[in-house]
Amino acid sequence: MVSAELAEHGEGRMGLRVVISPQGRLHAEEAEGGLAGAAGARVKRAFEQGAAAGIVHLAMEELQTALPAEWDFLRELGRRYLTALCRCGSDAEPAAVPAPALEELAFLVMRAPPMRGLEYLSAESLAETWQEIDVFVREQIRAHPGGAAAYLRDRNPLWRLVGRVTFHLAENKRDAARPFAFLATYTHRVSSGGQLQHYPLKHALEEYARANDRQALVSLLTPVQRAAEKSTLAAELVESKTLYQPQAWTAAQAYRFLQDIPLFEDSGIIVRVPDWWKRKAPPRPVVSVKIGEAAPSRLGADALLDFSVEATLNGEKLTAQELREIEAVAGAGAAGLVRLKGQWVEIDREKFAQALEHWKSVEKMAKEGVTFAEGMRLLSGMPAEVGAQAGETEAVREWTGIAPGSFLEETLAELRTPEAAGEAPAGLRAELRRYQQTGVHWLRFMTRLGLGACLADDMGLGKTIQVLALLLHLRQETSAGGAKRRASLLVAPTSLIANWMAERDRFAPELRVRVAHPSEPGGAQAPGESELAEVDLVITSYGMTTRLGWLAQRDWRLVILDEAQAIKNAGARQAQSVKKVPAGARIAMTGTPIENRLSDLWSLFDFLNPGLLGSAKGFQGYVKSLSREEHADFGPLRSLVRPYILRRLKTDRRIIADLPEKTEVQAFCGLSAKQAILYQQAVKELAEHLDSADGVQRRGIILASLMRLKQICNHPSQWLGDNGFDPKDSGKFERLGMLCEELAERQERVLVFTQFREITDPLAAFLRGVFGREGLVLHGNTPVARRREMVEAFAREDGPPYFVLSLKAGGTGLNLTAASQVIHFDRWWNPAVENQATDRAFRIGQKKNVLVHKFVCRGTVEERIDELIHDKRALAQDILDAGSGAEAKLTEMGNAELLRFVALDIHKAGEA
């Protein structure tokens, strides 16, 4: 199983993990598999003082500690800040250290490893964190005796502020034989213009000798001494004393210097080189590989893309003469500097030749082309074979530039940045918002290519209606082309099947749907070919995929997974059975950021695009090899999967501007077997009592029975009073858990309303397990002063994740705008009262869209009341009257009508 990849990092035990809040702020949170032991305890104490203190701690005290990738990422941010601070040139109280350019921070974000809330990390949020670190460090320096130098020295000797020496390398165009010049300087002072002034290093000897300040000279030259211990070149400069004189260098000498730049900088020396030398990507000729220049003869994941190889410099093809010049690099070594096309470039003859030979051999083997998956892996920077040892291909990849050709570049642009296009399908009874039009267009494009697509929109953005629109497009295209209809298969949790049917009825009634589930008469029977030929969509549950063998014997147009995180465990039977179902294309729907967990990611892509991430064992090996690297780079992996994932967030202003301020949805729930038995028993007893009652007594019996039915729909233990509250015994608890698992992952806050005080504590206990944190509970017995404390606690950015409230006690007067999700666990049957409760979150001060979930048990009196309210029929108008509730109206029905109204529809209720 892929989850074994994390075992060596402590999976299964509590530790400390990095969390990024929706506001882009960094936090430390206890979770399974995190940083533990003494290091975890130290880091936890540091982060209790704030993110800035924690990051500085990582870069100071934990500088040489082996850390998981997410903590190493934060440590690297701290290292960058302290490096910049040391270069500011002030020993007393340094000025503010400006954050790097957003482009540099965006590059850092791209390299970030998986961590919770990764989708909220941006260049802008890192810039804000940088500023927080700067404020924190400068406050620490102000309070520390001796200023910045003493502060850094006391925290970690490696960061002592003695790095005043600068090594300069510049071009010397007046001497063709020695085209480079070297000079060592030291920072003398800061000029009135705020610029550091550099003097030749030999002046330092004279200045400190005059001042008889040997200690200052030792401090100044300590970085040079450290460099001499690491670099042979630096040692030669020190021993020969040529360090103190300007020098003219050959290209070979300059190249030795450029290669040792990391050693100089690690020693605390500032290095200044010509602009054309980029330390991360120095100018160099490369073997340019181009994939997909022309459109393939057919589309699909197995389509073959053309493949070409040539040697280039900055995109220009190298001539035969220029290749000969590379072969004639001066010096005894194979690597050096050579002047090509009017500029100095780096070349390593052996590695360059090795890369050219490798790709020429690949070109010969790939005469017919490479597959789409192979091309995507190559473009992302992943190994051609996932799990291959990085050392085997490092030299080749270092001297290779891979780019998409015209066709593939256009295709990738469509995948990565889709735009709304085309008209809404015929039969869609809704107006799609622009981002939904974009989603439908993207799904059509992906399925036409035969590629797997993950629609990962945030909860409440309408994933269901986008998929229904796609299915209507397919129906329309089939009818227009006269082709034989191929049904699509939708797999969803049992509790969501009713939601899909309700959404179909509301938005796409023309779609012909068959439910393959025992909750529908004949639902478990295999349909005939003629019957299936008339169906657009078959809906089943994950559990049924392991029991209905005929599902894997059909060739489906699409296989669609709702709540696709259900297959995150690659070894589970339902995950394996779903992956065996053949289809023209596959779609996964999830609101959970699957990019943040690598084990889940592999299993999902094993369904969407089998083979893209290699085998489970190969992927596990690849991830382990990354985790062993000092600064793991997850950028290639994220680049590889990103084109197949469309994710929009409610926090995106482009999305918020296009959404209503409040969205209400019915959350249909099934009944467990225990609930169904108790419900039918209650209806039977009501019928018996009605035969012998009238007047006030009859009214009391009906009201008591309705209360009993409501309690049974919530949880059998609420009616039985046994304090059991096993989540498996309630369809509502199951649905609440499913919903709040996603909210917990998204770090969204939620209000849960119930009209029953006795169930508030069981709900809170259940949610504590889902969120992994304590929440709040408010009911009629909560003291007024305590209520105020709760509201203030909930309003904090790091406040409790959930707030369970009884409707009477918490339905009015409270300002709880920290929540953007509202759940009505049971219904008051009076929309005015429910709206008052919803307005605890949806009110002035709320900056986010509010999504309201109204729980309704299918096949029960709850569903029938909800239908009346929704359809606004005659009785619904009475229910809408705030002065009377549905219970009062139901007492006025005749016995037969009342019993029909409350009777259980066992097929609809199903088994949760």
Side-chain angles (χ1 to χ4, degrees):
M1 290 174 57
V2 179
S3 57
E5 72 193 30
L6 299 176
E8 65 183 76
H9 293 299
E11 187 71 19
R13 55 162 172 70
M14 295 301 291
L16 209 62
R17 304 297 296 265
V18 177
V19 178
I20 305 166
S21 76
Q23 294 76 27
R25 298 185 181 279
L26 295 161
H27 302 279
E29 180 176 287
E30 288 190 339
E32 285 190 0
L35 178 64
R42 293 193 303 268
V43 172
K44 180 181 179 182
R45 287 194 298 270
F47 270 82
E48 286 174 350
Q49 301 175 48
I55 293 172
V56 171
H57 169 86
L58 291 172
M60 293 283 199
E61 281 76 7
E62 309 297 339
L63 192 59
Q64 296 175 325
T65 304
L67 295 176
E70 57 187 349
W71 293 107
D72 183 59
F73 176 77
L74 295 191
R75 177 168 60 185
E76 177 60 18
L77 180 63
R79 283 168 56 93
R80 291 185 180 219
Y81 169 81
L82 291 173
T83 299
L85 176 69
C86 289
R87 293 175 179 173
C88 286
S90 175
D91 282 336
E93 182 178 324
V97 180
L102 289 180
E103 292 81 3
E104 182 178 345
L105 293 176
F107 180 80
L108 191 61
V109 170
M110 185 62 190
R111 293 172 57 89
M115 63 186 90
R116 190 174 175 204
L118 180 61
E119 65 270 32
Y120 300 124
L121 188 67
S122 66
E124 291 77 7
S125 65
L126 276 186
E128 292 179 4
T129 302
W130 181 286
Q131 292 174 354
E132 293 172 5
I133 296 171
D134 187 43
V135 170
F136 170 79
V137 170
R138 289 190 290 121
E139 288 178 351
Q140 294 278 301
I141 290 173
R142 280 194 292 268
H144 195 284
Y151 167 75
L152 293 172
R153 183 182 61 245
D154 293 345
R155 291 292 300 267
N156 188 319
L158 293 178
W159 285 113
R160 66 183 60 175
L161 194 58
V162 294
R164 300 295 188 214
V165 175
T166 300
F167 286 174
H168 302 262
L169 182 71
E171 288 189 71
N172 180 18
K173 297 181 179 180
R174 292 175 294 181
D175 188 345
R178 297 178 179 274
F180 292 93
F182 167 80
L183 179 66
T185 68
Y186 76 106
T187 303
H188 176 61
R189 63 185 178 87
V190 179
S191 70
S192 58
Q195 299 296 318
L196 295 177
Q197 291 190 340
H198 297 275
Y199 286 176
L201 190 57
K202 68 174 184 178
H203 289 190
L205 305 180
E206 301 167 358
E207 178 184 347
Y208 292 138
R210 285 195 303 268
N212 195 25
D213 192 348
R214 184 177 181 278
Q215 183 59 45
L217 184 60
V218 169
S219 297
L220 177 70
L221 295 181
T222 295
V224 176
Q225 184 59 42
R226 286 202 295 263
E229 295 170 358
K230 301 176 182 178
S231 164
T232 303
L233 175 59
E236 293 172 359
L237 291 172
V238 170
E239 291 172 7
S240 65
K241 294 185 171 48
T242 53
L243 177 67
Y244 304 103
Q245 304 294 331
Q247 301 176 56
W249 277 356
T250 64
Q253 288 174 304
Y255 187 70
R256 284 186 67 195
F257 176 88
L258 294 170
Q259 292 297 104
D260 280 358
I261 284 176
L263 302 180
F264 302 150
E265 292 185 331
D266 284 346
S267 300
I269 296 173
I270 299 171
V271 179
R272 302 197 183 282
V273 296
D275 290 340
W276 48 260
W277 181 270
K278 306 294 183 185
R279 272 159 273 176
K280 290 179 181 175
R284 58 172 56 169
V286 296
V287 180
S288 293
V289 178
K290 188 164 286 188
I291 303 170
E293 179 66 27
S297 57
R298 62 182 179 84
L299 298 177
D302 297 327
L304 293 178
L305 303 173
D306 60 81
F307 183 90
S308 64
V309 177
E310 60 184 12
T312 66
L313 176 64
N314 296 331
E316 294 185 33
K317 185 176 180 179
L318 292 175
T319 65
Q321 174 61 32
E322 288 167 337
L323 288 174
R324 284 193 293 271
E325 290 178 20
I326 291 175
E327 286 293 320
V329 172
L337 295 174
V338 64
R339 198 164 183 85
L340 285 179
K341 296 186 183 293
Q343 62 179 306
W344 288 102
V345 299
E346 178 189 19
I347 184 63
D348 186 311
R349 286 182 303 178
E350 293 180 359
K351 291 182 179 180
F352 182 75
Q354 182 182 348
L356 190 59
E357 180 182 359
H358 169 80
W359 288 111
K360 285 294 184 182
S361 65
V362 172
E363 186 180 32
K364 290 179 182 178
M365 290 187 293
K367 288 182 178 179
E368 297 182 0
V370 296
T371 66
F372 193 89
E374 290 169 338
M376 292 293 283
R377 280 202 295 270
L378 290 171
L379 287 171
S380 70
M382 290 274 286
E385 292 295 329
V386 179
Q389 294 298 315
E392 297 175 1
T393 60
E394 183 177 356
V396 172
R397 292 172 61 190
E398 184 182 358
W399 290 85
T400 299
I402 304 179
S406 300
F407 163 77
L408 188 55
E409 188 171 24
E410 292 177 6
T411 302
L412 291 178
E414 189 79 9
L415 294 180
R416 291 167 175 158
T417 55
E419 295 293 336
E423 297 180 355
L428 183 65
R429 296 186 180 180
E431 183 176 348
L432 296 175
R433 302 184 184 99
R434 184 165 182 81
Y435 74 88
Q436 292 173 331
Q437 296 171 10
T438 297
V440 175
H441 171 68
W442 182 76
L443 289 172
R444 292 181 72 189
F445 183 76
M446 294 291 283
T447 53
R448 283 173 181 169
L449 288 177
L451 300 175
C454 178
L455 184 60
D457 283 344
D458 217 347
M459 182 187 299
L461 294 185
K463 294 188 289 290
T464 301
I465 194 172
Q466 293 176 67
V467 170
L468 290 174
L470 170 68
L471 293 170
L472 284 172
H473 272 301
L474 295 181
R475 174 184 171 87
Q476 187 175 322
E477 292 167 3
T478 301
S479 301
K484 180 181 177 182
R485 177 178 287 133
R486 288 172 64 197
S488 295
L489 177 67
L490 169 71
V491 185
T494 302
S495 59
L496 296 187
I497 293 178
N499 281 66
W500 273 96
M501 293 302 295
E503 296 289 275
R504 188 286 308 260
D505 294 343
R506 181 180 178 189
F507 297 119
E510 291 185 8
L511 284 178
R512 299 181 181 181
V513 178
R514 187 183 193 276
V515 176
H517 192 272
S519 61
E520 293 291 322
Q525 298 176 2
E529 290 295 334
S530 59
E531 180 184 355
L532 200 59
E534 298 300 320
V535 172
D536 298 300
L537 180 67
V538 173
I539 302 178
T540 192
S541 68
Y542 285 98
M544 295 306 295
T545 62
T546 64
R547 297 163 57 185
L548 302 180
W550 60 270
L551 294 175
Q553 298 169 5
R554 299 287 194 277
D555 186 17
W556 303 94
R557 175 66 182 86
L558 303 175
V559 172
I560 306 163
L561 304 187
D562 191 11
E563 300 293 344
Q565 60 269 25
I567 65 166
K568 64 183 180 181
N569 184 346
R573 282 187 62 207
Q574 66 183 27
Q576 295 175 351
S577 62
V578 164
K579 293 175 183 180
K580 292 177 182 177
V581 179
R586 294 174 169 183
I587 295 174
M589 303 166 63
T590 177
T592 303
I594 48 88
E595 254 189 302
N596 294 356
R597 292 184 300 274
L598 296 181
S599 56
D600 299 6
L601 185 71
W602 183 87
S603 186
L604 184 70
F605 270 80
D606 188 45
F607 164 76
L608 289 174
N609 295 296
L612 183 70
L613 298 185
S615 65
K617 183 177 180 181
F619 185 73
Q620 179 179 340
Y622 171 73
V623 172
K624 281 187 175 181
S625 67
L626 274 182
S627 65
R628 286 192 290 266
E629 295 179 7
E630 183 177 357
H631 301 299
D633 181 8
F634 291 87
L637 176 59
R638 294 176 65 192
S639 295
L640 178 60
V641 301
R642 183 170 294 169
Y644 306 95
I645 302 172
L646 183 62
R647 181 163 179 77
R648 279 80 61 89
L649 304 176
K650 293 196 295 289
T651 52
D652 189 332
R653 293 181 180 178
R654 294 167 298 178
I655 302 300
I656 289 177
D658 197 31
L659 280 174
E661 293 179 321
K662 179 172 69 174
T663 302
E664 297 185 354
V665 295
Q666 273 69 34
F668 292 109
C669 310
L671 292 183
S672 68
K674 189 172 184 180
Q675 284 177 299
I677 292 171
L678 289 174
Y679 190 99
Q680 288 179 312
Q681 180 181 336
V683 173
K684 180 181 179 182
E685 293 179 9
L686 172 61
E688 294 172 353
H689 292 144
L690 287 176
D691 289 338
S692 59
D694 55 17
V696 175
Q697 183 185 21
R698 179 180 182 277
R699 178 183 175 87
I701 291 172
I702 294 173
L703 291 176
S705 296
L706 290 174
M707 185 65 69
R708 177 181 178 182
L709 295 177
K710 279 187 176 184
Q711 293 172 323
I712 292 170
C713 286
N714 278 357
H715 197 290
S717 292
Q718 186 180 351
W719 163 248
L720 297 173
D722 59 10
N723 292 321
F725 288 101
D726 188 336
K728 296 191 297 293
D729 288 340
S730 168
K732 283 189 178 182
F733 269 70
E734 179 190 26
R735 187 65 191 276
L736 181 67
M738 184 186 306
L739 180 62
C740 289
E741 282 176 5
E742 182 174 336
L743 297 183
E745 186 66 34
R746 296 280 300 113
Q747 301 177 64
E748 291 197 49
R749 316 276 279 286
V750 61
L751 306 180
V752 181
F753 286 103
T754 173
Q755 63 179 290
F756 299 102
R757 180 209 176 285
E758 66 267 20
I759 203 173
T760 55
D761 287 334
L763 283 173
F766 175 66
L767 292 175
R768 186 185 310 122
V770 174
F771 284 91
R773 292 177 58 195
E774 289 285 349
L776 298 171
V777 178
L778 186 150
H779 46 66
N781 292 340
T782 305
V784 174
R786 176 60 181 149
R787 295 186 186 197
R788 185 165 54 252
E789 293 173 1
M790 288 180 174
V791 172
E792 292 173 354
F794 195 71
R796 293 197 305 265
E797 182 179 318
D798 60 346
Y802 60 90
F803 203 150
V804 180
L805 309 100
S806 67
L807 201 58
K808 282 188 176 180
T812 59
L814 301 178
N815 188 332
L816 302 172
T817 53
S820 59
Q821 303 279 341
V822 177
I823 296 173
H824 291 286
F825 188 76
D826 44 59
R827 309 296 298 281
W828 190 256
W829 294 350
N830 187 324
V833 174
E834 290 184 345
N835 289 339
Q836 282 184 330
T838 298
D839 287 347
R840 298 316 94 218
F842 183 60
R843 60 193 295 117
I844 294 175
Q846 179 58 268
K847 298 179 181 179
K848 295 168 284 190
N849 296 289
V850 175
L851 185 58
V852 184
H853 311 264
K854 298 183 176 182
F855 280 21
V856 177
C857 281
R858 289 277 280 173
T860 71
V861 65
E862 287 192 340
E863 182 180 27
R864 297 183 185 101
I865 292 290
D866 183 73
E867 288 173 350
L868 290 174
I869 296 174
H870 182 72
D871 294 341
K872 293 183 171 64
R873 288 187 276 196
L875 181 58
Q877 296 302 318
D878 294 332
I879 295 173
L880 288 170
D881 177 7
S884 61
E887 293 94 333
K889 299 302 176 183
L890 295 180
T891 61
E892 300 174 6
M893 287 183 176
N895 289 358
E897 183 183 7
L898 174 63
L899 291 174
R900 282 195 303 271
F901 198 83
V902 300
L904 178 65
D905 185 336
I906 192 64
H907 292 297
K908 280 190 172 183
E911 183 171 342

